[in-house]
Amino acid sequence: MKNVYMDNYDVIVIGAGHAGCEAALASARMGNRTLIFSINLEAIAMMPCNPSIGGTGKGHLVREIDALGGEMGINVDKTFIQSRMLNTAKGPAVHSLRAQADKTQYHLEMKKTLETQENLDIIQGEVVDIIVENNKVEGVITRTNTRYSAKAVIIATGTYLHGKIFIGDGNFSSGPNGLAASEIFPENMLKHGMKFRRFKTGTPARALASTFNYSKMVKQEGDEKIVPFSFMNDYLEKDQIDCWLTYTNEKTHKVIRDNFHKSALFGGEIEGIGPRYCPSIEDKVNRFADKKRHQLFVEPEGLNTEEMYIQGMSSSMPENVQRDFYHTIEGLENIKITRPAYAIEYDCIDPLELKPTLEYMGITGLYCAGQFNGSSGYEEAAAQGLIAGINASLEINGKEPFVLDRSEAYIGVLIDDLVTKGTNEPYRIMTSRAEYRLVLRQDNADERLTPKGYEIGLVSKDRYNKFLTKQETVKTEMKRLEKTMIKAEHAERYLEKRGSHGLKGSASLYDLLKRPEVDYESMEEIDIKRPDLSSHEIDCVEVNIKYEGYIRKQIQQVAKFKRMENKKLSEDLDYNSIEGLRLEAAQKLNRIKPMSIGQASRISGVSPADINVLLVYLEKMRRSE
């Protein structure tokens, strides 16, 4: 049986979480025979933590996944129960869509999508090892000693590797949500030369909806006008479910402080490093001792369950302490907890061991994605899974790799941060991490990425034609607004209603729309010949006109950035041989193997003087050739 293979595939994906689903779908849709493994098929696209998709920065990722031909946006549009656009008081660069999903329906819809996808097979089974020959991956071995061959393998194991749950002084081996941990696979990966780190994350308690007192909490309703995640959907209509806002108080904090010694976090049992931007409630109370309260949201887990998720209250306290501090909160005085909060610790790799394609440096054809790479969040995982699936497919078909840079997408920022800078905690995307936020907006993700998705074979012809039609519509409408002049008296009367002044003479609709008090919809009273545009098209028209000067300026900044990114560095370059480089810089450059001068400049420990040395070296090489 040792050398007998059950079946042969082009690509095998280990793990069917958000990263694994996108990786497998991308590979299959690009024409490769693909197999995805899940320890349990009920874990496909599971949401072990927050039952939501999107949010600040994360919403950008979902739109980009969708624009490239991924599935997350389409799936959440089918299964959401509440939708809200965040940060609307600020500029469009930081607007972020967030939707509460029915977590069971989200799982079922994604499972069905995998099951019906051409070129894709699904197997419930545990992979315990990969097959490597001559430093190249050749397949996988399951726990039943069944072998499957593959030209490429993608590891998307999430938080399962040596997973350990902590509740008070109790801890036990487990993956998320009570599923089995993977114990054999990480041990075998060590034998292949992988080095692991220990990270930690956590999740709050769930409680029965009927036991909350909603009269003491603040209702959080969904948006009246629902904005879809997927560019394939122009409009969505659905009855939405309310969420609720409440706060901790001094009584809550006293219960927590009095029991610090019972927390696994402070007791020394937890070795892993947790996310700074999503700390447990005991960590918040400890670190922000001056804060008298912390907000938390009560969110439904789905339409066919009574369970409510208490966002902002993850903890590793004992169950009786959890009950006591939850009961001090307004609206939660009598809740019945169905699932206690817990912390989970797991193995992951240092993403500095990865290429920008997400291929592992030590083994050809082995790709890595999601929380296995040291990131946190469903959206970050899905984005990496999509890119890993694309690049595995391209490599086995002898095509150029697909790498998005920091000026092209939040996905580019996410991956570049991981593989160039590394991370010492579970990495979370934020709008502040992107230097070119104004050109990386949610509304133009299709403009930036759909042509790329079409070129690599993920975006269908029908979808691409829909995109081209939208682009032409936006372009035509902007020209019409520029040419349509409004008489001074009509324009002044309209502007006065909007609280705007200072108009001299007649003006074009284009110039009127540039004013902060004016929006496209309100101009209907002076623009009687307007076409019928979708919400996506209106957003594009409005943002492009209002922020025209700022966008032009940022495009110039991007051009400078591109010049550095286009100065390519060979993967085989030995930096120790380059005279003038500092020892630290040479060591870092040899480890990370940057693809360009731009990437090299972002490596910690590489100074501007080192970059000048590299530029001189490249110029010498160019002249000698």
Side-chain angles (χ1 to χ4, degrees):
M1 185 77 182
K2 188 174 181 181
N3 296 312
V4 175
Y5 288 86
M6 179 79 171
D7 211 340
N8 305 310
Y9 288 89
D10 295 318
V11 177
I12 291 177
V13 181
I14 306 171
H18 302 281
C21 288
E22 295 291 351
L25 288 169
S27 171
R29 288 167 178 173
M30 291 173 71
N32 302 292
R33 188 159 189 256
T34 306
L35 171 63
I36 186 169
F37 279 100
S38 177
I39 283 182
N40 190 318
L41 294 189
E42 303 313 309
I44 291 175
M46 182 177 67
M47 294 180 169
C49 197
N50 200 329
S52 73
I53 297 293
T56 305
K58 294 170 178 283
H60 290 72
L61 289 177
V62 182
R63 278 283 179 86
E64 291 177 351
I65 290 165
D66 180 73
L68 282 168
E71 194 65 25
M72 178 172 266
I74 293 171
N75 206 57
V76 74
D77 279 355
K78 292 178 185 176
T79 59
F80 77 93
I81 55 179
Q82 189 194 86
S83 177
R84 297 182 72 186
M85 186 68 76
L86 307 182
N87 301 328
T88 52
K90 301 177 183 178
V94 294
H95 290 180
S96 292
L97 187 60
R98 181 178 186 270
Q100 289 296 126
D102 183 316
K103 65 183 347 178
T104 300
Q105 285 304 311
Y106 188 93
H107 149 71
L108 290 173
E109 280 292 333
M110 189 66 84
K111 183 171 179 280
K112 181 180 177 182
T113 300
L114 296 183
E115 290 167 344
T116 57
Q117 175 61 51
E118 187 180 359
N119 296 323
L120 179 58
D121 291 340
I122 309 169
I123 291 181
Q124 178 169 295
E126 182 182 355
V127 172
V128 296
D129 203 357
I130 60 172
I131 302 165
V132 180
E133 293 181 13
N134 299 320
N135 232 33
K136 184 182 184 307
V137 72
E138 297 288 344
V140 303
I141 305 172
T142 69
R143 194 163 192 168
T144 59
N145 201 31
T146 306
R147 294 171 177 240
Y148 297 82
S149 71
K151 298 171 185 174
V153 171
I154 301 170
I155 301 176
T157 48
T159 61
Y160 284 83
L161 302 191
H162 283 147
K164 184 182 281 190
I165 298 288
F166 293 85
I167 302 175
D169 59 4
N171 62 78
F172 53 92
S173 172
S174 176
N177 210 20
L179 294 174
S182 174
E183 303 290 350
I184 305 172
F185 183 73
E187 295 298 329
N188 284 326
M189 293 312 293
L190 289 172
K191 296 174 185 176
H192 291 298
M194 271 194 176
K195 298 175 183 176
F196 289 119
R197 298 181 300 169
R198 202 79 172 141
F199 274 4
K200 174 200 82 82
T201 187
T203 189
R206 276 69 160 175
L208 292 176
S210 58
T211 61
F212 289 86
N213 186 343
Y214 300 100
S215 66
K216 293 186 176 182
M217 298 187 285
V218 181
K219 184 187 293 187
Q220 303 285 296
E221 297 177 322
D223 290 340
E224 184 176 345
K225 180 182 176 182
I226 298 170
V227 178
F229 266 114
S230 177
F231 289 99
M232 294 299 288
N233 296 320
D234 294 325
Y235 303 98
L236 290 174
E237 290 185 6
K238 186 181 287 189
D239 292 334
Q240 299 185 65
I241 306 300
D242 294 330
C243 297
W244 303 87
L245 171 67
T246 187
Y247 297 89
T248 62
N249 52 57
E250 290 290 357
K251 290 181 181 178
T252 316
H253 299 177
K254 184 178 187 308
V255 173
I256 293 169
R257 287 193 193 97
D258 289 347
N259 290 281
F260 272 160
H261 62 287
K262 297 180 182 178
S263 167
L265 179 67
F266 299 128
E269 293 92 348
I270 294 178
E271 303 171 20
I273 301 169
R276 189 183 353 159
Y277 302 103
C278 189
S280 64
I281 187 61
E282 56 262 41
D283 201 13
K284 287 181 189 177
V285 171
N286 181 50
R287 285 164 52 190
F288 309 109
D290 57 320
K291 295 278 186 182
K292 294 189 176 180
R293 67 178 191 174
H294 296 283
Q295 71 177 14
L296 57 101
F297 292 92
V298 176
E299 302 165 336
E301 296 248 295
L303 298 177
N304 297 308
T305 178
E306 277 278 297
E307 287 191 294
M308 303 288 277
Y309 176 93
I310 308 172
Q311 183 189 316
M313 293 286 283
S314 68
S315 176
S316 61
M317 290 281 196
E319 291 170 77
N320 64 318
V321 176
Q322 290 186 38
R323 176 201 59 205
D324 292 346
F325 69 63
Y326 277 119
H327 284 180
T328 65
I329 298 167
E330 287 198 349
L332 278 64
E333 295 91 344
N334 298 302
I335 62 166
K336 291 185 177 179
I337 295 172
T338 53
R339 308 187 202 209
Y342 64 81
I344 183 169
E345 200 177 66
Y346 55 94
D347 287 348
C348 59
I349 62 166
D350 185 343
L352 293 178
E353 301 291 328
L354 303 173
K355 300 176 183 179
T357 59
L358 296 181
E359 186 178 25
Y360 178 64
M361 289 183 183
I363 301 172
T364 301
L366 182 63
Y367 291 80
C368 307
Q371 288 184 270
F372 180 71
N373 291 350
S375 65
S376 74
Y378 311 143
E379 303 82 0
E380 290 89 342
Q384 293 172 70
L386 180 66
I387 298 302
I390 289 171
N391 279 313
S393 300
L394 292 173
E395 183 188 48
I396 64 177
N397 288 292
K399 296 180 180 179
E400 288 296 308
F402 181 71
V403 176
L404 293 167
D405 68 42
R406 302 181 72 87
S407 71
E408 293 175 310
Y410 270 80
I411 294 175
V413 173
L414 161 68
I415 294 176
D416 185 66
D417 278 352
L418 286 171
V419 305
T420 303
K421 303 175 184 178
T423 183
N424 293 320
E425 62 181 306
Y427 177 98
R428 176 181 179 177
I429 195 66
M430 293 177 286
T431 53
S432 59
R433 295 190 190 273
E435 303 93 322
Y436 308 110
R437 290 189 291 278
L438 198 50
V439 294
L440 302 183
R441 306 182 311 275
Q442 284 191 136
D443 63 273
N444 72 350
D446 61 338
E447 182 181 335
R448 292 182 279 117
L449 300 176
T450 295
K452 295 178 185 291
Y454 180 65
E455 186 178 341
I456 61 178
L458 263 186
V459 169
S460 68
K461 183 69 173 176
D462 287 345
R463 179 172 186 148
Y464 187 58
N465 287 338
K466 178 182 173 72
F467 160 75
L468 291 177
T469 301
K470 176 206 163 186
Q471 292 299 101
E472 187 58 34
T473 300
V474 170
K475 184 179 177 182
T476 301
E477 177 62 357
M478 289 176 67
K479 284 182 179 178
R480 186 190 72 83
L481 294 174
E482 199 168 8
K483 291 178 180 178
T484 305
M485 303 299 294
I486 305 298
K487 290 181 179 180
E489 60 267 28
H490 294 154
E492 287 173 3
R493 193 158 51 243
Y494 164 75
L495 290 176
E496 190 175 337
K497 289 180 185 177
R498 308 293 297 175
S500 185
H501 305 281
L503 182 68
K504 295 180 180 179
S506 60
S508 69
L509 290 171
Y510 191 99
D511 288 333
L512 290 175
L513 189 52
K514 283 191 172 184
R515 294 177 173 238
E517 302 89 355
V518 176
D519 59 74
Y520 184 87
E521 288 188 10
S522 72
M523 287 201 312
E524 187 172 8
E525 66 178 85
I526 54 171
D527 180 20
I528 58 175
K529 294 184 178 180
R530 61 168 52 195
D532 184 20
L533 268 61
S534 71
S535 58
H536 287 318
E537 292 162 347
I538 291 171
D539 286 345
C540 287
V541 168
E542 196 159 358
V543 171
N544 283 331
I545 292 175
K546 283 187 178 294
Y547 297 90
E548 182 181 30
Y550 298 105
I551 291 171
R552 189 185 300 119
K553 186 175 181 180
Q554 189 145 106
I555 288 172
Q556 292 170 353
Q557 295 170 346
V558 168
K560 291 180 181 179
F561 166 82
K562 287 283 192 184
R563 286 196 287 272
M564 296 295 277
E565 295 301 302
N566 289 334
K567 294 182 184 295
K568 299 300 182 183
L569 294 167
S570 171
E571 192 177 319
D572 301 324
L573 188 56
D574 179 9
Y575 292 93
N576 290 322
S577 67
I578 300 178
E579 188 176 346
L581 272 183
R582 294 177 309 111
L583 178 61
E584 180 189 7
Q587 289 174 342
K588 294 283 182 67
L589 290 163
N590 275 325
R591 181 187 178 189
I592 295 173
K593 296 291 184 183
M595 295 178 67
S596 67
I597 290 289
Q599 187 186 357
S601 70
R602 296 188 292 275
I603 297 173
S604 173
V606 177
S607 70
D610 297 317
I611 295 301
N612 284 331
V613 170
L614 289 177
L615 289 169
V616 170
Y617 172 81
L618 287 182
E619 181 61 20
K620 284 182 179 178
M621 292 298 101
R622 187 187 69 81
R623 290 182 179 180
S624 68
E625 290 170 0

